[in-house]
Amino acid sequence: MLPLDRYESRIAADAVRVAAAAQEADHDLPVPTCPGWTVSDLTRHLGGVHRWAIQILRTGSAPSTRDPGPDDADDLPGWLADGATQLLSTLRSTDPQSSVWTFGRDPHRARFWWRRQAHETSMHLWDLLAAAGGAPEVEPDFAADGVLEVAEVFLPRQVELGRREPLAAPVDCVLTDTGTSVRLTSRPADHSGAVATTLRGPAHAVLLALWGRTGTTGLEVDGDAATLAAALRTITP
């Protein structure tokens, strides 16, 4: 993981940009990378997720419902911004090593939520700006951390929940701008077995591919393309 203050900085900056973009955009503008969602839906979702994380950090348990936000779409950007401010305040007053509910693996520590909320906010900023015609890039090391989160948390969770079959063989993600690689396996600790496919490219482009935001256009694929296609299906929620 990156330093916690780095995640806080990303949440603060990206939430402001989401709120500003949502304020300027047509509330009913479709968000193609989140099928079925409009700008209002995305704003409502992100504001609800921020408040959901706040309750987890404060109580240690996951609430069964999320705050749906105000009925008037015009009020959603301000509601989102207020929730992000509350989230940052809660993070800064929480012991990162305290035990709380997470959907990651042991140990279930509060620090999980710094990383998760930073990447949640960043990805939905990309969704919103892409819908409006201009998607941002993110720093290579932050994007690489997102790729690692997919490998450590999301792919194993999808397998454990029965949402996807285990990978037939490992897939290596080679991040050309950070000089690092991340191996995708059904179990994070299991790096055995011959690699079937290598996906190579800049960290942010690889992250977007893993989250189903883009295809593999512009990325280099070595090996079994069918295995890679299977790996990318339902790798994230």
Side-chain angles (χ1 to χ4, degrees):
M1 291 178 61
L2 300 174
L4 298 187
D5 60 357
R6 179 74 178 284
Y7 295 125
E8 292 172 12
S9 297
R10 289 303 308 228
I11 294 168
D14 289 349
V16 167
R17 294 184 69 188
V18 171
Q23 186 72 51
E24 295 173 3
D26 180 345
H27 300 315
D28 295 324
L29 178 71
V31 181
T33 52
C34 299
W37 281 11
T38 63
V39 167
S40 288
D41 294 326
L42 184 151
T43 309
R44 196 179 299 278
H45 166 80
L46 186 58
V49 167
H50 286 168
R51 286 165 172 80
W52 182 68
I54 288 169
Q55 291 304 307
I56 293 170
L57 290 164
R58 289 177 177 173
T59 68
S61 302
S64 58
T65 60
R66 296 182 188 176
D67 185 345
D71 293 332
D72 190 336
D74 289 336
D75 295 331
L76 285 171
W79 173 77
L80 169 68
D82 181 61
T85 298
Q86 293 180 47
L87 173 62
L88 286 166
S89 176
T90 302
L91 288 170
R92 289 164 179 160
S93 63
T94 299
D95 178 358
Q97 298 303 321
S98 59
S99 296
V100 302
W101 180 87
T102 77
F103 52 78
R105 291 171 171 261
D106 287 335
H108 298 286
R109 304 297 185 196
R111 64 185 296 114
F112 173 93
W113 293 105
W114 268 259
R115 181 197 226 181
R116 177 78 299 270
Q117 291 306 301
H119 285 293
E120 179 85 7
T121 307
S122 175
M123 186 60 69
H124 286 316
L125 171 63
W126 189 91
D127 290 325
L128 182 53
L129 295 185
E137 289 290 329
V138 304
E139 300 94 331
D141 65 330
F142 182 75
D145 182 67
V147 173
L148 190 59
E149 185 194 38
V150 170
E152 292 176 342
V153 177
F154 285 102
L155 174 56
R157 181 170 183 258
Q158 293 290 79
V159 173
E160 289 172 359
L161 292 176
R163 293 174 178 171
R164 62 154 300 129
E165 293 297 318
L167 296 186
V171 173
D172 273 354
C173 299
V174 177
L175 312 180
T176 55
D177 48 357
T178 63
T180 59
S181 63
V182 176
R183 179 159 295 182
L184 302 178
T185 66
S186 300
R187 298 175 179 82
D190 180 12
H191 287 183
S192 61
V195 172
T197 315
T198 299
L199 181 65
R200 184 179 287 103
H204 192 213
V206 172
L207 179 63
L208 291 172
L210 295 182
W211 273 96
R213 266 44 181 192
T214 61
T216 57
T217 302
L219 298 173
E220 184 179 342
V221 178
D222 294 331
D224 184 1
T227 298
L228 177 62
L232 294 179
R233 284 197 296 271
T234 62
I235 198 170
T236 53

